[in-house]
Amino acid sequence: MFIPFHSLLSQLSKLKLTISRTKELHAFVIRTHLSRDPFYATRVLRFYAINDDIISARNLFDKTPQRSIYLWNSLIRAYASAHKFTDAFFLFKDMLYSEIKPDNFTFACVVRASSENFDVHSLRVLHGAIFLSGLHWDFICSSQLVSAYSRLGCIADASKVFSGITDPDLVLWNSMISGYGCLGELEKGLELFSRMQKMGLRPDEYTMVGLIKAIYDPSVLEIGESIHAFCLKLGVESNSHITSLLVSMYSRCKCMGLAFRVFECRVEPDLVTWSAIISGTSLCGNSVKALDFFREMNMKGRKADPPLIATVLTACSQLATVQPGSEIHGYAFRHGYHMEVMVSSALVDMYSKCGFLELGYQVYKTMTFKNIVSINSIISSLGLYGLASQAFQIFEKALVEGHKPDEATFSALLCACCHAGLVNDGRKYFRRMKDQFGIPANTEHYIYMVKLLGMEGQLREAYELIVQSLQEPVDSGIWGALLSCCDAHRNYELADIVASHLFGNKLENSRYKIMLANMYASDGRWDLVNKLRVDLESKELKHPGKSWITSTKPFP
DNA sequence: TTAGGGTTAG
C-alpha cells in the first residue's frame, strides 16, 4: 500500500510516530534527499528530535552545509529537552564561533537549560551575553531569565530583570508571579496580581497557577479561597493544572473537605490530579483513605505511572505496617516499573520507614541506574537507623562515581549526624556543603545544625551560626529549634535574645509563646508568663486555664 | 509571502 508521506510532511516537525513508521519515514527522507532543502532540513531535524532520535538529528545537522538559525536552534533545543545539557552548551559555543549569531530564541533555550541543570554560574554568564547582545529588552529572553532565576531561588535577580522591563506583557507578569509563588511570597505575588490588572491585563490560568502555589498553610486559607473564586470567574477551574493545584493547596491548608469537593468536580481526573488527592490525603494523616483512592483509581481502569506509584509508596511509608507498601511493590513489578529510579527510591524510603531497612537496602543494591535521589534516600534511611558511618560511606562512594550532591543530600547527612549524635561530623559536612560544593545552607540544614550543637550544649555557637550566616528575617523554624535547645539547657538568657529576634521580626506563634511562657515560669518570671497568657487567651486559643503551663514550679 | 522559538501541576 502506498504510504502518503507527502501528506505527512506539512506537519512533520510535530509528528510522533511508531518506531517502524519512523524508520520508514527516515528511509524516505534519505531516498528523496529531502533534508538537503534548508527548509525541510529543520522540519526533519525536529521530527527526529520529537521521536527521541537525537543521533539522526545530529547527523542531519552535520551533513547540512548551509545551516540556518532555525537549524541551530532546533538542535540546541533537542539536546536541552533530552537533558543533554553539556551537548547543548557545546553546540551553543560552536554557534558563537560560526557566522550565525544566537538570537533571542537561542538565548531563551540555553537560559532554560542552565536553570534545569541547576547551573547559576552559566545563567549569570548568559545573562551578561544577553545584555551585550542588546537582547535584554526582548520579552522572550527576559521572561525566560525571570523564570530561570526564580527556579534557582535567585528571586532578587528575577525581580531586577522584571523591573527593567518598562511595559511587561502577560507572560512576563506570569513568570514573575510564579517566581514569587514558588517561594511562598504570597504578598508580593498578590501585589503584582493587582498591579497587572490595573495596567489593563486580564490574568489567565498561568497567573492563577503562580498564585495558588503561594498558598502555603492554613493561615492563608481565606486568600486561597478567594484565588479559587477568581479561577471560577475566569473560567479556568476545569483546567487540569488548576484542579490538581487546588487539590494540593487545600491539602496544605489541612482543608480536605474542600480538596475532595474540587476533586469530585472533575469527571475524569488525570494522573497528576489523582496523585494530588492521594498525597494530600496522606499528608493530612489519613494514609488508609489515600490508599482507598488508589484502589478506586484502579477500579476505574486507570494505570499508574512511576511518579504516581512513588506517591502511593510515600503514603504507605506513613503506615505502621509494611504490607500495603509491599503490595505496591508487587504492583510496580507487574507493571514493569520496579526498576524506575523514582519507584526504587520510594521503595527504599518506604521499607526503611516501615521498619525493614534490610529490604530497602536490597532494593538499593539491585538498582541498575542510581541517581542523586536514590542515593539521598539510602543515606536518609541509614541515618534514620543510626548507621551514620555507612551513610557517610555511601556518600563518599557516590562522589567517586561522579554524582553531584544536592541540598537534600546534606539534609540526609546532617540528619544522620543528629541521630548518631556526631557533632563534629555535622560541622564538617556543613562546611563542605558550602566550601566544596557551593550549596547554600537552607532552613532545614540550619535546624539540624542547631539541634546538633544543642546536643553538646554549644548554644552560643548555634546562635552565632544563625546570626552570622543568614540575613534577617531568619525562618522562624530555626529560632524555634534554638528556643527548644535553650529550654532543654535552661539557658534563659539566650532564650530572651531569641525571643527578641522572633518578636522583632513578627515571627512569633502560639507554639513559641507557650514554650517561652514555660521557660519564664521555670525561671519564676510570672509577670512575663501572665503577659503571654493574656496574649494567647485574647486570640481565643483553646488552652483552657493554666493547662498549657507545664512548669513544675507552683503558679503563684 | 513556506519554519519555531518565552510563563503552569505529582
Side-chain angles (χ1 to χ4, degrees), chain A residues 62 65 133 145 148 193 299 345 359 489 522:
Chain A
D62 288 338
S133 311
L145 277 172
F193 180 60
M299 301 261 274
S345 308
L359 288 177
H489 288 272
S522 306

Side-chain angles (χ1 to χ4, degrees), chain A residues 240-283:
Chain A
S240 64
H241 290 173
I242 298 279
T243 309
S244 72
L245 277 169
L246 283 172
V247 170
S248 308
M249 177 192 85
Y250 283 126
S251 310
R252 282 196 299 277
C253 293
K254 309 284 174 213
C255 197
M256 287 319 285
L258 288 173
F260 294 146
R261 207 186 296 168
V262 172
F263 180 76
E264 279 155 11
C265 283
R266 189 102 205 156
V267 188
E268 272 194 19
D270 64 5
L271 288 184
V272 181
T273 308
W274 277 110
S275 170
I277 197 73
I278 292 170
S279 67
T281 310
S282 171
L283 198 75

Side-chain angles (χ1 to χ4, degrees), chain A residues 335-406:
Chain A
H335 289 81
Y337 288 143
H338 62 296
M339 294 303 270
E340 289 277 339
V341 69
M342 209 179 267
V343 173
S344 323
S345 308
L347 280 169
V348 172
D349 188 68
M350 181 277 296
Y351 277 124
S352 71
K353 284 193 178 141
C354 290
F356 290 84
L357 175 68
E358 192 50 46
L359 288 177
Y361 192 65
Q362 286 297 332
V363 171
Y364 179 78
K365 273 207 304 194
T366 52
M367 284 173 78
T368 46
F369 174 77
K370 295 183 178 80
N371 66 7
I372 197 64
V373 178
S374 47
I375 291 160
N376 293 348
S377 66
I378 193 69
I379 292 177
S380 296
S381 302
L382 291 165
L384 198 68
Y385 283 75
L387 300 169
S389 62
Q390 281 98 317
F392 299 161
Q393 275 172 24
I394 298 262
F395 172 71
E396 300 301 339
K397 191 164 170 256
L399 291 185
V400 173
E401 287 166 353
H403 293 283
K404 205 168 122 190
D406 60 10

Side-chain angles (χ1 to χ4, degrees), chain A residues 28-86:
Chain A
F28 178 81
V29 165
I30 291 169
R31 204 166 57 239
T32 55
H33 304 294
L34 192 67
S35 62
R36 289 190 191 169
D37 179 302
F39 169 72
Y40 277 112
T42 308
R43 291 209 142 187
V44 174
L45 191 149
R46 291 175 59 83
F47 163 75
Y48 288 142
I50 212 167
N51 287 288
D52 304 318
D53 187 357
I54 206 141
I55 293 173
S56 298
R58 179 76 210 209
N59 276 335
L60 190 150
F61 179 87
D62 288 338
K63 284 179 187 155
T64 308
Q66 289 213 312
R67 295 161 188 162
S68 65
I69 181 89
Y70 296 101
L71 196 73
W72 279 97
N73 288 354
S74 299
L75 187 59
I76 293 174
R77 197 176 144 72
Y79 279 133
S81 1
H83 282 219
K84 293 182 180 291
F85 300 118
T86 316

Side-chain angles (χ1 to χ4, degrees), chain A residues 289-344:
Chain A
K289 187 164 181 175
L291 293 183
D292 287 341
F293 274 116
F294 180 63
R295 263 176 226 116
E296 189 188 327
M297 190 194 96
N298 278 293
M299 301 261 274
K300 288 187 171 161
R302 295 303 302 264
K303 188 181 162 226
D305 64 353
L308 194 115
I309 295 174
T311 302
V312 179
L313 284 168
T314 306
C316 294
S317 71
Q318 306 298 312
L319 297 164
T321 153
V322 75
Q323 198 196 339
S326 60
E327 277 173 26
I328 303 297
H329 191 171
Y331 179 97
F333 186 83
R334 287 193 301 279
H335 289 81
Y337 288 143
H338 62 296
M339 294 303 270
E340 289 277 339
V341 69
M342 209 179 267
V343 173
S344 323

Side-chain angles (χ1 to χ4, degrees), chain A residues 7-8 48 51 62 70-71 109 112 131 135 161 185 268 336 341 357 379 434 466 484-485 512 519 534:
Chain A
S7 67
L8 297 177
Y48 288 142
N51 287 288
D62 288 338
Y70 296 101
L71 196 73
C109 181
R112 190 190 175 96
F131 201 87
L135 284 167
V161 173
E185 297 244 23
E268 272 194 19
V341 69
L357 175 68
I379 292 177
K434 285 197 273 192
I466 298 171
S484 301
C485 296
Y512 299 148
M519 275 189 264
V534 170

